[in-house]
Amino acid sequence: MDERPVGAPAAVVPDVAAVRRARRGPRRRHALVVAGTGAAALTALVVNLLLGDYTYTFPDAARIIAGVGIDRPTAEFLMLEQKLPRALAALCVGLCFGAGGAVFQTVLRNPLASPDIVGISTGASAAAVFALLALGLRSDVVALAAAVGAVLTALAVRWVAGGIGSYRLVLVGVGLSAALLSVVHYLFTRAAVWDAQLALRWLTGSVAGSGWPEVRVLVVVLVVLLPVLWWSARSLRITELGADAATGLGVTSRRAELLMLVAVLLVAAGVAGAGPVSFLAFLSGPIARGLNAGRTSIVGAALVGAALLLAADFTGQYLIGTVNVPAGVLTGAVGAPFLLWLMARGASGRSPR
């Protein structure tokens, strides 16, 4: 039975079934991406726990984590005090960097606008190195200084750039990052050798020194910020259209500001937990978008970040000869060519998104 209005041409009547099918396709694709990246992160977590210099069977690891015990004190100690907290720290830090980086790139509508590029990670590193070398602080206070440095750097970039403007904000961030790096280099010239070695963690990024205190802080941060991110990210698709289009559709700039604030706090928590893991936030968003047919997926990007950091940490520990390579070195080695590839695509006239 023809249900179109009297006198209306046939082209005016939408094909409801076709619209529903068109909507189901992206949703199904997104669900598959989340399931796939979640499985990758879970697999990387299990590999980090079971394999390495001291290997475990899955039943033994499950019994130790459940608190049942297996009458092997060394195995229990290594699992509960080294492997498990380190793997969970890598998981949480990866979630923080992945989600934060995806928000940066989406809100600013620029695939180069990650915390690494705009100076957030450098600001955190500079604050941590200053606390270590100039003030003589140690432990949790240094992590707090790194988080504060990330937030202050973000505020400075935002203030100088004059708003959330894509390329202007990126340029300001690059300039401020160079200035902060010069401060870091100066501090290294005045530092003792032992202190300089301690400060190197905040320039490379590593979860090697992570324990249960860091894991607890990261879990609390994720529990608090992820619901806020989920609520504020509901307008993310509209925000991607640009400030003018978003305003015309009823989405004010305050929602974008809130998204950026949550992203900065997530990145600050990640830096405080593991240092500035190079290019982790930068890699996660484009990989998740590529898997999701060019559509932004904050959840997918967070899981990609977790899988990448877990894989980098395991590779650096066990798969490169007898040398322990920090995870940040490996992610930087992968991220730098990826950055050049994105810029080459943009220069050739093809959108990197």
Side-chain angles (χ1 to χ4, degrees):
M1 181 178 179
D2 191 355
E3 298 180 353
R4 70 173 180 266
V6 177
V12 175
V13 181
D15 188 341
V16 177
V19 172
R20 289 176 178 172
R21 285 195 300 270
R23 289 179 176 176
R24 281 198 299 267
R27 290 174 182 172
R28 189 181 299 112
R29 178 67 175 258
H30 183 257
L32 290 174
V33 169
V34 171
T37 53
L42 180 60
T43 301
L45 178 65
V46 172
V47 168
N48 274 261
L49 293 177
L50 300 186
L51 303 181
D53 294 333
Y54 198 106
T55 60
Y56 297 79
T57 64
F58 188 83
D60 284 348
R63 286 168 61 85
I64 293 173
I65 295 173
V68 177
I70 58 173
D71 296 327
R72 288 160 55 190
T74 300
E76 294 180 9
F77 174 81
L78 289 175
M79 173 61 72
L80 296 179
E81 299 301 325
Q82 293 186 16
K83 278 181 168 286
L84 185 59
R86 180 168 179 165
L88 291 178
L91 176 70
C92 294
V93 170
L95 292 173
C96 289
F97 275 108
V103 171
F104 266 78
Q105 293 166 341
T106 303
V107 173
L108 300 179
R109 304 172 64 211
N110 188 340
L112 303 181
S114 73
D116 308 278
I117 306 300
V118 301
I120 308 302
S121 298
T122 307
S125 300
V129 171
F130 180 80
L132 275 167
L133 302 183
L135 303 181
L137 302 177
R138 295 292 184 271
S139 189
D140 296 339
V141 183
V142 178
L144 178 61
V148 173
V151 174
L152 291 179
T153 303
L155 293 175
V157 172
R158 168 70 174 79
W159 176 67
V160 175
I164 300 182
S166 178
Y167 287 99
R168 180 178 175 82
L169 191 143
V170 171
L171 291 174
V172 171
V174 170
L176 184 58
S177 179
L180 291 171
L181 274 178
S182 66
V183 173
V184 171
H185 294 158
Y186 171 76
L187 291 172
F188 266 89
T189 63
R190 305 295 299 270
V193 175
W194 174 251
D195 291 338
Q197 289 179 344
L198 290 177
L200 280 176
R201 175 175 179 257
W202 297 102
L203 297 179
T204 57
S206 173
V207 292
S210 300
W212 287 113
E214 289 82 5
V215 172
R216 294 188 187 99
V217 172
L218 289 167
V219 169
V220 170
V221 169
L222 289 171
V223 169
V224 172
L225 293 182
L226 288 184
V228 180
L229 180 62
W230 174 83
W231 177 82
S232 57
R234 292 182 298 177
S235 62
L236 201 57
R237 294 290 176 84
I238 299 176
T239 304
E240 286 184 279
L241 299 176
D244 295 336
T247 302
L249 293 173
V251 177
T252 63
S253 60
R254 292 182 180 179
R255 184 65 64 89
E257 299 278 1
L258 177 61
L259 271 169
M260 290 294 292
L261 175 61
V262 174
V264 168
L265 293 176
L266 284 171
V267 172
V271 173
V277 185
S278 301
F279 289 109
L280 182 61
F282 171 71
L283 289 167
S284 302
I287 292 175
R289 278 198 304 273
L291 295 173
N292 199 33
R295 298 179 179 87
T296 298
S297 173
I298 302 297
V299 178
L303 292 172
V304 168
L308 287 176
L309 185 53
L310 285 164
D313 187 47
F314 184 81
T315 301
Q317 282 188 85
Y318 305 114
L319 301 184
I320 305 181
T322 58
V323 179
N324 283 333
V325 180
V329 173
L330 295 178
T331 56
V334 175
F338 190 76
L339 171 62
L340 296 176
W341 176 74
L342 277 181
M343 296 182 67
R345 291 196 67 185
S348 64
R350 291 174 293 175
S351 173
R353 299 185 59 175

